[in-house]
Structure formats: structure tokens, C-alpha cells
Amino acid sequence: MKYLRLIIKNAGRNKRRTILTMLSVAIAVFLLVTMRSVVTTLDGIGQPTGAESRLVIRRSTSLADAMPESYEAKIKQVPGVVATCPSNWFGGVYKEDKPQYFIAQFFVDPKEVFEVWPDWKLADDERAAFQQERTAAICGRKLANKFGWKIGDVIELKGTFLPVNPRLTLRGIFTSDPQQEEVLYFHRAYVEEALGRPGQVGTYRIKIDSPANAARIMDTIDQMFANSSAPTKTETEAAFSAAFVSMLGNVRGLITIVGLVVVFTISLIAANSMAMTARERFTEVAVMKALGFRPGVVLSIMLSEAILIALLGGLLGTIGAKFLFSFARLETSGLPFLQNFKILPATIVLSLFVSALIGLFSGGIPAWGAAKVRIVDGLRRVA
């Protein structure tokens, strides 16, 4: 703190160079915060409230292959299974086939769905209306807010791979885990009737009595249908959701590599700027030593200047990312799996730590060279 004024004054001596260096670090940190937040968002997929007590059953060959609806009666007989709900992805188009109108849509059993997800908060009259009306639908609060839907609104979907165009009436809006509040649910019987009752189920969502019994239940169910025409694969809800992320490839590895390359490149740019500053100040350093400043003090002052500039750049990049993504909606930009994108406090701390490292790396070598210069050699140079 003794030399704080001197450090601040020296850091702002060449304002143009200081600003450009800060902006370079800010860009690096902005990209680092963004990429790190993407990773943490993807890591959080498939872990909603109560997920440890739910399993997903799908066809072992492919998620696109269906299972007979007759499986449900057998699944219910497995010890530890509390509730079962058949669920099919609909994939219809709402308004236009554009990312901003993307909706996660499932047709389910209107009674069993609440047994599998008992944590949904829905008014009793809304639940009753949904269960009694075949063309009724319910959705999460976030989805309703996104499109401005209200109870009684008509929602029209255009089928894509299914030749059905449901015309639904919104009868309920529930609140739950944020990952569930972006989903639209409607009656399985409605679609089945329109398709001529094929009796095919995409996935079975089941609730179990205890997470400790998950392994046994999964093995029992898969063994039950192992020799059938439609063998199954049972997995936890978190593992099922994570499978979608794995389809994108090694996202974590790719983002990590890109982040390291960006930070390293920016560090070289910042180091070049710091080296130029150090070379210009050899004569000044020699004068400081002649006045009694020890090499360790000179090293600390110059290194503090570099870290201060880098930290200010990192703070600028972090605030910029926080501000930008507080308004941006990545799920409307063709990235619906990032609907819960947010910058965690741990990411902010990491970004500022990396900023300090950039300052330490970029200013360390130049400061060390300046601190070791001899008084006689420094006074011979022209700043």
C-alpha cells in the first residue's frame, strides 16, 4: 500500500497502451467466462429436483425406436417402482420453424405424469381441467412467460415426423424446477387416436421408492425385456439427459482447449506490451536504484502494475459477459439446451484469478529484467 499511488500513476502513464492491453485481457476473459459458463450449464443438465428418484426406460437400439405400450403393466410389477408414465416426444412447430419458437413438447398420460413428477405445483382446478379435457395442455411458468400464454389460450402445433396437427387449449401453468418449466405437455390419448392407436411409446418415465434401489431396478427391467423384439435400456434421468449433450461430441474438451489457446495468445500480446514498457523505463529504474530503491521493491512495483492492468481488464471482461448474458437468450439462438445458461460466482472468481495470472506472466519477465539492470547501464540508456 506504501507505493500504491506510484503504481497507479505508472500504470496509466501511457494511456493508449494501457487501454489496449486492458481490452486484450478483457476479450480473453470474456471468452473464458462464456466458455466456462457453457460447460457448467451443460454439467447441470439432467439434474432437476428429485431426479435421483426417477429413471428413464428407452429402446436399447436407438432413442428413435419405440416400445410397445404393453410394457407398462410389466414395469409396474417390478418391486420398487412407485409410478410409471409413458412419454413421447412430439417435435411439432409452433408458429414458425425458427429457434425462437422452439418448444420441448411431450404427449403423456394426464394422470400418471403427476405421480412421476409430484413436485410440480399446479392448482387443483387446473389439474382437474387438464385431466378431463382431451385437447387440454399444461406448461411450465417459464414457457408461459416466454410466449405470454394465459389459461384458456389456444396453442396450435404443426406435426413434423408425426402427421398430426394438435390444437390445444392451455388449462394449467405449473411451477417446478427451472429445467421443467420450459416444457409443454398434452394428452397421449389425443395423439394416439389421431394416429389410429399404434400403441408405441418413446420412453417410460418411472419413479422409484429409493435411489439406493436404482441399480437393481434398472437391471431387473432390462433383463425382463432382453430377449423381446424391443429390448430396453434403463438409466437415470441425469444419464438420459446427458446423452443428448454427448451427441455434440467432447464439448468440454473442445471448450477447454480453445480457452487455453485464447488465454495463452492474449498473454503473449500483453507480455509484449509489458516488455516495451519495461524497456522504456530502464533509465527510470536506474534512477530509482540510485535513490535507494532495492531491486525487490522495483520488481514488486512493476509486477503490481502489470497485475493491476490485467485485473482491470479481467474485471471489464467479466462485467461485460455478466451484463450481456443477462439480456441474451441463448435458447432462442439455436441452442435450446442452454436455456438455463448463467454465470456462476465460481466462474467469476476463476476469471479474476486467470486475469491475475496473465498479469503475473506478462509482467514477470520484463519486471525481473528491469530489476536486475545495473545503475550504470541504466543511466547510459535513453528512455
Side-chain angles (χ1 to χ4, degrees):
M1 299 300 292
K2 181 178 179 181
Y3 302 105
L4 182 60
R5 285 189 61 188
L6 179 61
I7 293 171
I8 296 175
K9 189 174 181 62
N10 286 337
R13 177 179 297 182
N14 190 326
K15 293 182 175 58
R16 179 183 299 175
R17 182 182 299 162
T18 299
I19 292 174
L20 291 176
T21 304
M22 285 174 54
L23 289 177
S24 299
V25 176
I27 293 173
V29 171
F30 175 87
L31 294 175
L32 177 66
V33 170
T34 302
M35 291 184 288
R36 177 61 186 169
S37 297
V38 169
V39 171
T40 56
T41 301
L42 294 178
D43 287 344
I45 291 178
Q47 300 177 16
T49 303
E52 64 278 359
S53 296
R54 287 191 295 269
L55 304 178
V56 181
I57 306 171
R58 63 179 177 89
R59 185 83 172 265
S60 62
T61 52
S62 170
L63 188 59
D65 297 331
M67 300 170 289
E69 62 181 6
S70 58
Y71 278 15
E72 183 175 11
K74 297 179 181 179
I75 295 171
K76 287 182 176 180
Q77 296 175 3
V78 176
V81 174
V82 176
T84 308
C85 179
S87 175
N88 289 67
W89 172 264
F90 184 71
V93 175
Y94 175 65
K95 289 188 176 180
E96 298 180 67
D97 190 11
K98 294 182 179 180
Q100 59 266 35
Y101 295 116
F102 171 84
I103 301 175
Q105 315 150 23
F106 294 90
F107 50 97
V108 298
D109 185 285
K111 294 183 179 179
E112 294 175 334
V113 68
F114 295 106
E115 298 174 1
V116 176
W117 285 279
D119 55 308
W120 291 357
K121 296 179 177 61
L122 182 67
D124 292 340
D125 57 335
E126 294 180 7
R127 176 183 299 197
F130 169 63
Q131 293 176 338
Q132 294 169 9
E133 186 178 339
R134 180 160 294 196
T135 59
I138 58 172
C139 72
R141 173 59 61 184
K142 288 183 64 177
L143 186 60
N145 292 340
K146 177 180 177 180
F147 294 111
W149 290 343
K150 302 181 297 297
I151 302 297
D153 285 355
V154 175
I155 303 169
E156 296 186 1
L157 302 176
K158 182 179 180 181
T160 51
F161 60 92
L162 293 177
V164 183
N165 299 323
R167 191 173 189 274
L168 310 170
T169 304
L170 187 64
R171 294 303 184 192
I173 300 175
F174 64 86
T175 57
S176 179
D177 187 279
Q179 296 185 36
Q180 292 288 335
E181 287 194 6
E182 290 265 1
V183 185
L184 176 72
Y185 294 94
F186 52 100
H187 284 231
R188 171 175 170 78
Y190 179 20
V191 180
E192 279 286 295
E193 183 178 339
L195 293 175
R197 299 192 178 279
Q200 298 295 304
V201 177
T203 61
Y204 286 101
R205 306 299 181 103
I206 65 175
K207 182 174 176 58
I208 59 177
D209 57 357
S210 172
N213 296 327
R216 175 186 59 79
I217 295 173
M218 289 190 292
D219 184 65
T220 301
I221 293 174
D222 291 341
Q223 288 294 329
M224 183 185 302
F225 304 112
N227 298 319
S228 67
S229 59
T232 63
K233 179 179 181 180
T234 308
E235 52 196 344
T236 63
E237 192 174 69
F240 176 76
S241 299
F244 288 97
V245 178
S246 66
M247 295 178 186
L248 301 175
N250 188 7
V251 179
R252 177 190 288 274
L254 177 62
I255 290 177
T256 301
I257 292 173
V258 172
L260 290 175
V261 170
V262 169
V263 172
F264 180 72
T265 304
I266 297 298
S267 297
L268 293 180
I269 297 174
N272 183 59
S273 299
M274 299 297 178
M276 292 174 60
T277 301
R279 284 195 299 269
E280 292 174 356
R281 295 172 59 184
F282 273 166
T283 302
E284 176 188 330
V285 170
V287 172
M288 292 176 66
K289 286 186 175 182
L291 292 174
F293 285 83
R294 295 195 298 180
V297 175
V298 175
L299 175 65
S300 299
I301 291 175
M302 298 189 69
L303 200 57
S304 298
E305 294 171 17
I307 294 175
L308 176 62
I309 293 173
L311 276 175
L312 290 175
L315 187 63
L316 178 63
T318 304
I319 293 175
K322 189 75 174 176
F323 179 79
L324 175 64
F325 293 120
S326 64
F327 295 100
R329 296 183 60 85
L330 297 186
E331 72 271 21
T332 63
S333 304
L335 301 171
F337 49 86
L338 294 180
Q339 62 185 19
N340 296 307
F341 180 90
K342 60 182 177 181
I343 299 174
L344 301 176
T347 300
I348 295 177
V349 173
L350 175 64
S351 67
L352 295 179
F353 177 72
V354 171
S355 302
L357 286 182
I358 291 176
L360 185 64
F361 170 77
S362 61
I365 297 177
W368 176 260
K372 290 182 64 177
V373 68
R374 295 190 304 171
I375 297 176
V376 176
D377 294 335
L379 291 176
R380 287 175 180 172
R381 301 195 182 198
V382 179

